[in-house]
Amino acid sequence: LRYILANNSNRDPLMKLILFYLTFLLFLTIQSQTENATLKPLPLAFLESGSYSPYVNAIFDLVNKEVPIPNYKLVLADMIVTAQAGRANSLYLNAINKGVLGLIGPTLSSSAVVVGITSTNFENPMIAFAATTPLISNRDNYPNVFRTNPNSTAQGKYFVNVFNYFKWEKIGLISSTNEYALGLSGSIINASSRNGVELTVFFVTE
């Protein structure tokens, strides 16, 4: 971790630190699926919508170099970049057929809901580090999906807790119209109505 934070060439140390954590966590979830062998490849897939690509190879290299895992070498077997849920699921199925043992991603909630079902059906662990839909928190439907961030329902409650703490009774909320913003603004609206906060929402089209 000190290496990541001290690397002067690192343009976004926090992002690489997060990806390091996710990659290591994913290893722990799939360790039981593999047999011990000398430097056995551990093939993983990374699924996202386009923002994280520059960091992925670097973080795999860092894990293998700075924090080597005994008997294993993490391998980025497939890099999937798409914002379409159906295509994401199709490409993920291809990755599983090629021997991928785990998935980091996807970043979009719409993709996570679909891909998470495939992850469960194939018992292929999935780390959803950016998707905020509360649906994938259902352990009955998504037992193989693990999230590392709070879902949008929880985030909405946190916002309203701040409103109540400062005794703000009337709030103006400006929201964009992307998938994440709409989910979060919806949860804030619901939480506000239940807690007596008068909320006016303005949507800005991107």
Side-chain angles (χ1 to χ4, degrees), residues 83-103:
Q84 299 177 357
R87 179 165 172 75
N89 195 55
S90 177
L91 293 173
Y92 176 42
L93 280 170
N94 291 340
I96 292 175
N97 290 332
K98 290 187 290 186
V100 161
L101 295 178
L103 174 68

Side-chain angles (χ1 to χ4, degrees), residues 135-165:
L135 294 177
I136 61 174
S137 295
N138 186 316
R139 304 308 299 161
D140 292 329
N141 295 334
Y142 296 93
N144 276 56
V145 176
F146 306 88
R147 68 183 328 143
T148 61
N149 63 331
N151 63 51
S152 56
T153 300
Q155 292 182 40
K157 293 178 181 178
Y158 301 152
F159 274 93
V160 174
N161 285 342
V162 173
F163 302 160
N164 289 335
Y165 178 84

Side-chain angles (χ1 to χ4, degrees), residues 20-32:
F20 164 83
Y21 164 70
L22 295 173
T23 305
F24 191 76
L25 179 60
L26 182 57
F27 165 77
L28 295 179
T29 68
I30 65 181
Q31 187 176 18
S32 61

Side-chain angles (χ1 to χ4, degrees), residues 70-83:
N71 300 322
Y72 294 96
K73 178 181 180 181
L74 298 187
V75 177
L76 179 59
D78 210 338
M79 184 70 197
I80 305 170
V81 182
T82 179

Side-chain angles (χ1 to χ4, degrees), residues 1-8 10 12-25 59 62-63 65-68:
L1 301 183
R2 287 196 300 270
Y3 172 87
I4 298 173
L5 295 174
N7 184 1
N8 293 329
N10 190 337
D12 194 338
L14 179 58
M15 181 58 64
K16 288 190 177 180
L17 182 62
I18 292 171
L19 290 177
F20 164 83
Y21 164 70
L22 295 173
T23 305
F24 191 76
L25 179 60
I59 201 60
L62 275 175
V63 171
K65 179 181 178 181
E66 300 299 325
V67 192

